[in-house]
Amino acid sequence: MPTLQIQLDAQEWEPLKELAARLGCTEADVARRLLRQVLMRVSPPSAEWQQRWDALLQQVHQYTARIPPEEVEADITAAFEEYRRECGS
């Protein structure tokens, strides 16, 4: 995996550090997420990728229509808590 090193001044570092603490992950994780979001906006996915994504979403929506919203919310909450534990918070 390629590595990128950047230098941040205090005005950039502190908000990044605070956000990482709130999300329960590392500063590098937050930077990766932010970069991924920017790149997706600048470079939209291919038509084939979009079609596959739309088909997947349709399958998920068909499946989850049978599941009570409370159960979905409980699963999301449990997954987020597991993620936070894995990130070390």
Side-chain angles (χ1 to χ4, degrees):
M1 175 185 305
T3 301
L4 172 67
Q5 292 183 346
I6 61 172
Q7 293 181 342
L8 303 175
D9 61 29
Q11 291 176 329
E12 296 164 330
W13 176 252
E14 288 304 318
L16 180 67
K17 185 177 172 183
E18 290 171 13
L19 181 56
R22 280 197 313 255
L23 295 174
C25 59
T26 67
E27 292 83 0
D29 288 334
V30 173
R32 247 186 249 91
R33 290 180 192 178
L34 294 171
L35 182 57
R36 191 176 301 123
Q37 288 178 4
V38 169
L39 291 174
M40 286 297 293
R41 289 186 183 138
V42 172
S43 177
S46 69
E48 177 190 357
W49 184 94
Q50 190 64 54
Q51 289 172 344
R52 291 173 63 198
W53 176 252
D54 292 341
L56 176 64
L57 281 180
Q58 185 177 15
Q59 289 175 350
V60 169
H61 289 156
Q62 287 173 351
Y63 175 76
T64 59
R66 297 176 270 157
I67 302 171
E70 299 80 14
E71 188 175 335
V72 173
E73 187 63 33
D75 287 348
I76 291 170
T77 301
F80 181 68
E81 291 301 322
E82 179 181 347
Y83 169 77
R84 291 189 69 179
R85 284 191 302 276
E86 289 175 3
C87 284
S89 64

